Amino acid sequence: MDLRDDARALSGELVRLRRALHRIPETGLELPRTQEAVLAELDGLPLEVSTGAGLSSVTAVLRGAAPGPVVLLRGDMDALPVAERLGLDFAADNGRMHACGHDLHTSMLTGAAKLLSAHRDRLAGDVVFMFQPGEEGYDGARHMLVEGVLEAAGRRPVAAYALHVLSAGQPSGVFGARGGPMMSASNVLRVTVRGVGGHGSMPHRAKDPVQAACAMVTALQAWITRSFDVFDPVILSVGTFHAGTQQNVIPESAVFEATVRSFSEAAQARVKDGTVEVCRGVAAAHEVAVDAEFVETYPVTVNDAAEAEFVAHTVREALGEERFAARRNPLPASEDFSRVLDEVPGVMMMLGAPPAGADPERTANNHSPLAEFDDAVLADGAAVYAELAVRRLAKGDEGRRGEGVKG
């Protein structure tokens, strides 16, 4: 079967769907209009379709003509609370934006469902299509796991695949992946420092929480650079810092929050305890109280090494040698597809999608109100999803390492 030619024939439909989704961005776990659009696209296909109970997810199962294993393909559907500034004729106007390209992911996955449905008679096994809300900070993958997406076909998948488009940093149409850590764990450090307020002219009669909180920020950076191997890095960036109401008043409290990224379980465990202890130590030195909370959000996204090789071979054979570039380093962004890869061997791959003709090193990054994606990648994205499913089913249970084993 020539899935690439079939995908090209679907290109117009995929562009139409992507632009329709781009106009109606929704955030979080409840995406009623997006879910409705996906269900309409799947209607009439030979799929067993179900929707989530606690979130606007869609799970569709395609039964192959012959018995075999199960492969899962995932596409996330949610947008971001970003006001779009692109000025496109299909731009959103509701203060939200598909600034991370999930409208492309959803369109590609519906395309793959159509491609594989058309060739159902040649499939030896089943395919689960996982349309997921709430990737952007709502842990939608975990919710879908709890609701049974891995058991949707009656047997757990032997492999799972997802892709993510990039508006910068990778040439358009080029896929990339690596075995091992692919994306970082994501965590939040929340700190509230409580001191004694007073007059700004007499700081010795107060316990200044601002000074203590500032010392914590610098102490955390110093502790990380002197405590972690540069080849197993940790990144801490303070994104919010709030204190005070007037320039001559020492406030009662100061609050800051930081994102903390790591690339191994060992670093994750150490940074979890260490950041809290650093804040407590600085608070003691400044004679103030502190509440420091380390909140784990998404774990490290770990690609299975054998599956990463399989993805590279598949893309190169299906699209051409130049269409796959092995990634030397992981990305410091995070993904809740890590939840799936903790259960099923598989791969998160990247697909460059900056505007045609643009220098990918100079285009706006994902999450920017100016992030722009090239519709030309849609057909090949759908084709790669479908190729991976067909070829992995053809391999049967080969290489399966067992249920519940981390990728």
Side-chain angles (χ1 to χ4, degrees), residues 13-64:
E13 291 183 35
L14 300 181
V15 171
R16 172 194 56 77
L17 175 59
R18 184 259 159 160
R19 295 187 177 191
L21 294 173
H22 195 84
R23 291 189 182 98
I24 56 165
E26 298 172 295
T27 58
L29 298 173
E30 294 298 328
L31 318 177
R33 298 182 69 188
T34 306
Q35 183 188 56
E36 181 182 9
V38 169
L39 291 172
E41 292 294 319
L42 301 182
D43 187 44
L45 299 178
L47 301 168
E48 300 169 11
V49 178
S50 60
T51 56
L55 69 170
S56 297
S57 61
V58 177
T59 301
V61 179
L62 177 65
R63 303 288 183 184

Side-chain angles (χ1 to χ4, degrees), residues 363-398:
T363 51
N365 209 349
N366 289 36
H367 289 214
S368 165
L370 297 174
E372 188 172 1
F373 301 90
D374 187 359
D375 285 339
V377 305
L378 290 168
D380 282 347
V384 166
Y385 266 136
E387 286 279 3
L388 289 170
V390 169
R391 295 176 185 229
R392 188 62 184 83
L393 290 179
K395 291 175 65 176
D397 286 339
E398 174 191 343

